[in-house]
Amino acid sequence: METKRLPRVYSAARPTGRQHIGNYLGAIQNYVKLQESFQSIYAIADVHALTTVETTQGLKENCLEMALDWFAAGIEPEKSIVFLQSNVPQVMELHTYLSMVVAIGKLTDLPTFKEKVRMHPQNVNYGLLGYPVLMSADILLFKADFVPVGIDQAPHLEFAREIVRSFNFRYQTKVLIEPQMKATATPKIIGTDGVNKMSKSLDNDIELAADEKTTEKRVRSMVTDTNRVMRTDPGNPDICNVYAFHKTFSPAELCAEIDRECRVAGIGCVDCKKKLAANLNAALAPLRERRAELAKNPARVWEILHDGAQRASLIADDTIRDVRDAIGLAQA
Ligand code: SF4
């Protein structure tokens, strides 16, 4: 008798190396929470990365660094399946089958494709065009019930759902299931420049695993309420990114005090930042300790990822068998 499985969530992220606070608050924290009530499958999307990278130098290291941060942040291999996308090649096979039910015009019309072409005019490759199909294959391969996405990513998921309908209609099957959106509050974490979304490429990030001194330095460099020029000028915490961070990392009493004192110039930005750096360092200390411990044994991390790929492959094999069958391919 088939036992009823837990609802499944799937998510993937490109290997961007050491993770920053924006990655943590925007995604990783949610991954950790989801693994408590879902069968969670998380991929490090190294194949997706190939669509835009100019060199693969450092790609492996980036995968390892990212995995270290994920595990240190609380993603547990016993609860979640974590693997490298390239290590479950069934996704490439499903991508091929799905590509037969997607019109080229649909892909070239996608705003994300146009944006990528604008950003990488010297490298408009086939992989870039097929990117949404590969992304859909990721999700559908694991028959994910839910995909945690922010509202801005909802069109990507809708694309995957449309592929399911086209595929199931073409082959008169129900083998692929339409994933549902698990609406997730993905707060836009602004970087140290006070303007742009936190991003490694913009060098406005604060790494989770940075040491205390580096964290203090990064916090010191944060742009505050730009109207507050002198220490004696009153400030406005509502428009200050430092205060936004306090609201996440500092106790409510301190936030209330800063909110009050900033407005009457009772606290200076230097002090305010010192308090934030101290609270950030305190909050991240356990994660950093776990990471340092894990980093002593990278072979163990690769082993966990290998094990994750094996577990993911079991699910993937089932789907591929069903899909080939639905298409009418012979399975000799
Ligand atoms: S005191 Fe704090 S909240 Fe106020 S402007 Fe300075 S850094 Fe921002």
Side-chain angles (χ1 to χ4, degrees), residues 224-225 228 235-237 240-243 246 258 262-263 267-270 272-273:
T224 64
D225 167 8
R228 190 175 187 197
N236 181 358
C240 176
N241 195 31
V242 174
Y243 187 65
H246 269 298
I258 293 169
C262 171
R263 293 176 200 277
I267 182 172
C269 295
V270 173
C272 187
K273 289 177 175 180

Side-chain angles (χ1 to χ4, degrees), residues 148-170:
V149 287
I151 201 77
D152 55 328
Q153 294 162 316
H156 297 172
L157 188 62
E158 191 45 42
F159 186 87
R161 289 163 57 86
E162 277 175 28
I163 289 191
V164 171
R165 293 194 286 271
S166 301
F167 183 93
N168 286 353
F169 180 75
R170 161 86 68 94

Side-chain angles (χ1 to χ4, degrees), residues 144-266:
D145 300 292
F146 297 101
V147 179
V149 287
I151 201 77
D152 55 328
Q153 294 162 316
H156 297 172
L157 188 62
E158 191 45 42
F159 186 87
R161 289 163 57 86
E162 277 175 28
I163 289 191
V164 171
R165 293 194 286 271
S166 301
F167 183 93
N168 286 353
F169 180 75
R170 161 86 68 94
Y171 298 109
Q172 288 301 295
T173 179
K174 290 184 178 159
V175 69
L176 296 181
I177 58 171
E178 283 188 47
Q180 305 297 314
M181 176 168 141
K182 177 112 190 84
T184 313
T186 44
K188 187 176 171 189
I189 309 301
I190 301 298
T192 54
D193 57 9
V195 180
N196 298 297
K197 190 174 169 183
M198 188 175 282
S199 148
K200 184 176 289 212
S201 54
L202 293 175
D203 193 29
N204 67 358
D205 61 325
I206 301 174
E207 284 183 355
L208 290 174
D211 60 39
E212 294 200 349
K213 286 272 167 278
T214 308
T215 305
E216 283 163 19
K217 204 167 143 210
R218 297 299 270 184
V219 170
R220 259 201 317 273
S221 76
M222 284 177 82
V223 172
T224 64
D225 167 8
T226 48
N227 297 320
R228 190 175 187 197
V229 182
M230 309 287 287
R231 165 68 180 81
T232 46
D233 292 339
N236 181 358
D238 297 335
I239 56 166
C240 176
N241 195 31
V242 174
Y243 187 65
F245 273 78
H246 269 298
K247 284 199 279 189
T248 304
F249 292 99
S250 298
E253 311 82 65
L254 178 61
C255 292
E257 184 189 320
I258 293 169
D259 189 18
R260 190 178 61 240
E261 294 300 317
C262 171
R263 293 176 200 277
V264 294

Side-chain angles (χ1 to χ4, degrees), residues 19-166:
Q19 302 290 278
H20 53 63
I21 290 174
N23 301 131
Y24 179 69
L25 298 175
I28 304 171
Q29 189 175 242
N30 192 39
Y31 287 0
V32 175
K33 207 164 87 198
L34 288 171
Q35 69 184 354
E36 298 304 328
S37 28
F38 293 89
Q39 183 182 27
S40 305
I41 304 179
Y42 301 131
I44 296 178
D46 53 350
V47 180
H48 284 305
L50 299 180
T51 56
T52 49
V53 293
E54 277 160 25
T55 167
T56 52
Q57 208 182 4
L59 186 57
K60 274 187 213 163
E61 289 75 13
N62 280 347
C63 291
L64 179 67
E65 294 288 353
M66 188 159 158
L68 280 169
D69 279 329
W70 279 14
F71 295 136
I75 297 178
E76 297 178 40
E78 297 77 23
K79 293 181 180 165
S80 300
I81 298 177
V82 184
F83 65 99
L84 300 178
Q85 187 189 22
S86 60
N87 290 188
V88 182
Q90 294 91 325
V91 72
M92 270 60 91
E93 181 176 344
L94 184 59
H95 166 254
T96 305
Y97 298 144
L98 298 182
S99 69
M100 313 299 172
V101 298
V102 182
I104 287 194
K106 179 134 188 87
L107 294 171
T108 49
D109 278 353
L110 286 173
T112 44
F113 176 67
K114 290 179 181 165
E115 172 69 7
K116 290 266 166 61
V117 171
R118 201 181 54 74
M119 285 166 65
H120 307 275
Q122 76 298 347
N123 186 20
V124 183
N125 55 64
Y126 166 73
L128 205 55
L129 183 68
Y131 182 91
V133 186
L134 182 59
M135 204 164 70
S136 301
D138 278 335
I139 300 167
L140 305 180
L141 184 66
F142 299 108
K143 297 192 173 168
D145 300 292
F146 297 101
V147 179
V149 287
I151 201 77
D152 55 328
Q153 294 162 316
H156 297 172
L157 188 62
E158 191 45 42
F159 186 87
R161 289 163 57 86
E162 277 175 28
I163 289 191
V164 171
R165 293 194 286 271
S166 301

